[in-house]
């Protein structure tokens, strides 16, 4: 039986744990020209699907972040959650942009402050596999001695043609190397996969999941998400430039939920399912609109994953 994140956290900590979306103030090498693409040009636009918020549209917006600013940000995010729940324990979740990119001393100071809080049970960092240098790995190992550190790697797909299409900016071997080094360091690794990338077949998507299911050591966690077309992204601009006949279709809810159930069945039971659907900002989402009805999507997934997921 596979476990959803909520089930895993409840069994691990004995109570409901909530993620607080926070911002570290990091940028991304795929946006500042540091990465040279296969065509020889420097990348300033990021991955084509990524919004201006760096895939962290629900994080509390903050500028000029130091320890004091981070603590204020944490308290605001905490207060927002506690308006709806009686939560006492949290995961400090840095999702937007690349949270191991920049001055490591500054990042170490920020992350050390938040991970030492009594109300934090784990630190979760969204990043890229090409931003896990020796100094970053040393920082992660040191933080991991205090409390668990989770590193979320944005892989999206194993197929190089798709990776180039979405302007990912690194080859699969870079992911494989980063994964190996992180696991050797004792770090929990979660991998993000997008289902429905333009040009990918169902078999292409299943191949990505099969690859992840064969990783050694076993993958700790996975996030499965449907491709979302958001206003303001490079992908949206590309979509608008296509003729009606050229525009790819998006999976409907039944197709998508069937595929997710098939993907989960391929994974080892030790791999925790952190996400099964996306929930992009209503004001930005163009397609697929069915994903806005998250309750209906999750209820459908629960029904289709009965017997393989709890």
């Amino acid at each position: 039986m596979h476990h959803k994140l909520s089930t895993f956290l409840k069994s691990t900590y004995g109570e409901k744990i909530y993620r607080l979306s926070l911002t570290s103030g990091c940028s991304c090498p795929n946006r500042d020209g540091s990465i040279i693409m296969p065509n020889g040009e420097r990348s300033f636009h990021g991955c084509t699907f990524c919004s201006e918020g760096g895939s962290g549209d629900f994080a509390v917006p903050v500028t000029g972040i130091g320890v004091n600013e981070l603590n204020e940000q944490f308290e605001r995010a905490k207060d927002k959650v506690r308006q709806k729940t009686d939560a006492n324990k949290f995961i400090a979740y840095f999702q937007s942009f690349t949270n191991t990119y920049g001055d490591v001393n500054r990042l170490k100071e920020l992350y050390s402050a938040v991970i030492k809080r009594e109300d934090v049970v784990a630190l979760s960092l969204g990043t890229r596999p090409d931003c896990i240098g020796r100094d970053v790995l040393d920082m992660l190992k040191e933080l991991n001695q205090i409390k668990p550190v989770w590193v979320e790697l944005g892989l999206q797909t194993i197929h190089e043609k798709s990776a180039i299409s979405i302007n990912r900016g690194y080859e699969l071997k870079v992911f494989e190397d980063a994964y190996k080094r992180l696991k050797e360091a004792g770090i929990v690794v979660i991998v993000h996969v997008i289902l429905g990338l333009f040009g990918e077949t169902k078999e292409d998507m299943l191949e990505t999941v099969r690859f992840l299911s064969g990783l050694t050591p076993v993958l700790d966690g996975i996030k499965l998400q449907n491709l979302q077309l958001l206003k303001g992204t490079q992908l949206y601009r590309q979509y608008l430039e296509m003729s009606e006949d050229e525009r790819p279709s998006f999976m409907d809810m039944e197709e998508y939920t069937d595929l997710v159930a098939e993907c989960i069945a391929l994974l080892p039971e030790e791999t925790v399912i952190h996400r099964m659907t996306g929930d992009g900002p209503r004001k930005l989402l163009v397609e697929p609109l069915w994903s806005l009805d998250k309750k209906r999507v999750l209820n459908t997934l629960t029904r289709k994953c009965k017997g393989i997921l709890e």
Side-chain angles (χ1 to χ4, degrees):
M1 186 74 75
H2 296 80
H3 292 97
K4 293 184 292 187
L5 178 61
S6 56
T7 306
F8 169 78
L9 291 172
K10 187 70 180 289
S11 64
T12 302
Y13 296 104
E15 62 183 294
K16 196 166 180 64
I17 307 295
Y18 290 82
R19 282 181 296 192
L20 296 184
S21 291
L22 305 169
T23 303
S24 65
C26 290
S27 179
C28 176
N30 203 9
R31 288 178 180 247
D32 66 8
S34 297
I35 290 178
I36 299 176
M37 306 308 290
N39 62 6
E41 296 180 358
R42 293 187 178 274
S43 178
F44 293 96
H45 302 291
C47 296
T48 61
F49 56 81
C50 196
S51 67
E52 288 301 313
S55 296
D57 298 283
F58 298 106
V60 176
V62 176
T63 58
I65 298 170
V67 171
N68 291 337
E69 290 80 10
L70 179 58
N71 283 331
E72 292 171 3
Q73 182 186 167
F74 188 99
E75 291 300 330
R76 287 198 297 271
K78 177 179 172 180
D79 289 345
K80 189 173 181 180
V81 168
R82 296 202 68 175
Q83 290 174 11
K84 302 177 182 178
T85 74
D86 57 354
N88 293 308
K89 300 291 184 180
F90 305 93
I91 296 168
Y93 179 38
F94 294 85
Q95 178 185 16
S96 56
F97 299 106
T98 305
N99 293 284
T100 60
Y101 182 59
D103 182 354
V104 174
N105 291 327
R106 183 186 78 87
L107 294 177
K108 183 177 177 181
E109 184 180 18
L110 285 181
Y111 299 147
S112 295
V114 76
I115 204 171
K116 290 176 181 177
R117 293 180 60 111
E118 291 185 3
D119 50 3
V120 167
V121 300
L123 173 69
S124 183
L125 304 175
T127 190
R128 296 169 54 90
D130 53 356
C131 292
I132 308 291
R134 185 187 297 272
D135 53 351
V136 167
L137 200 58
D138 288 343
M139 174 187 72
L140 297 175
K141 288 166 66 175
E142 188 172 331
L143 292 169
N144 199 45
Q145 296 300 310
I146 303 171
K147 288 174 188 171
V149 173
W150 301 354
V151 169
E152 180 181 326
L153 298 176
L155 175 64
Q156 321 312 349
T157 178
I158 64 167
H159 302 288
E160 297 299 344
K161 183 177 179 180
S162 299
I164 292 171
S165 175
I166 62 175
N167 204 52
R168 191 179 67 187
Y170 68 83
E171 296 180 346
L172 181 60
K173 62 184 179 182
V174 176
F175 167 84
E176 292 176 298
D177 177 64
Y179 183 83
K180 177 182 177 182
R181 291 184 293 111
L182 285 165
K183 293 308 301 173
E184 287 175 348
I187 305 297
V188 169
V189 178
I190 302 149
V191 174
H192 193 286
V193 172
I194 294 180
L195 302 174
L197 291 173
F198 292 171
E200 287 203 349
T201 64
K202 177 183 175 181
E203 183 57 29
D204 290 333
M205 301 174 221
L206 292 175
E207 281 182 14
T208 291
V209 177
R210 289 192 192 100
F211 169 84
L212 294 173
S213 71
L215 289 174
T216 305
V218 173
L219 178 63
D220 298 294
I222 191 169
K223 286 188 172 183
L224 297 168
Q225 179 177 329
N226 48 295
L227 177 67
Q228 295 186 326
L229 187 63
L230 301 178
K231 294 177 183 177
T233 62
Q234 188 178 354
L235 187 68
Y236 181 57
R237 290 190 289 272
Q238 292 171 353
Y239 186 79
L240 291 178
E241 290 172 359
M242 298 177 187
S243 67
E244 291 289 339
D245 293 337
E246 292 175 324
R247 289 177 180 175
S249 59
F250 288 79
M251 286 182 280
D252 62 31
M253 190 187 74
E254 291 299 323
E255 282 181 286
Y256 178 75
T257 51
D258 282 343
L259 178 59
V260 169
E262 197 168 341
C263 288
I264 291 173
L266 291 173
L267 293 162
E269 290 189 355
E270 298 94 325
T271 301
V272 176
I273 312 303
H274 284 241
R275 181 188 292 165
M276 296 186 289
T277 183
D279 53 351
R282 183 178 296 269
K283 64 181 180 181
L284 298 180
L285 184 66
V286 179
E287 289 282 2
L289 293 177
W290 55 257
S291 65
L292 291 172
D293 192 351
K294 192 171 181 180
K295 183 177 181 180
R296 178 171 170 244
V297 177
L298 290 176
N299 286 341
T300 303
L301 283 165
T302 297
R303 173 171 54 82
K304 292 186 177 182
C305 294
K306 187 175 182 180
I308 63 170
L309 182 65
E310 64 176 4

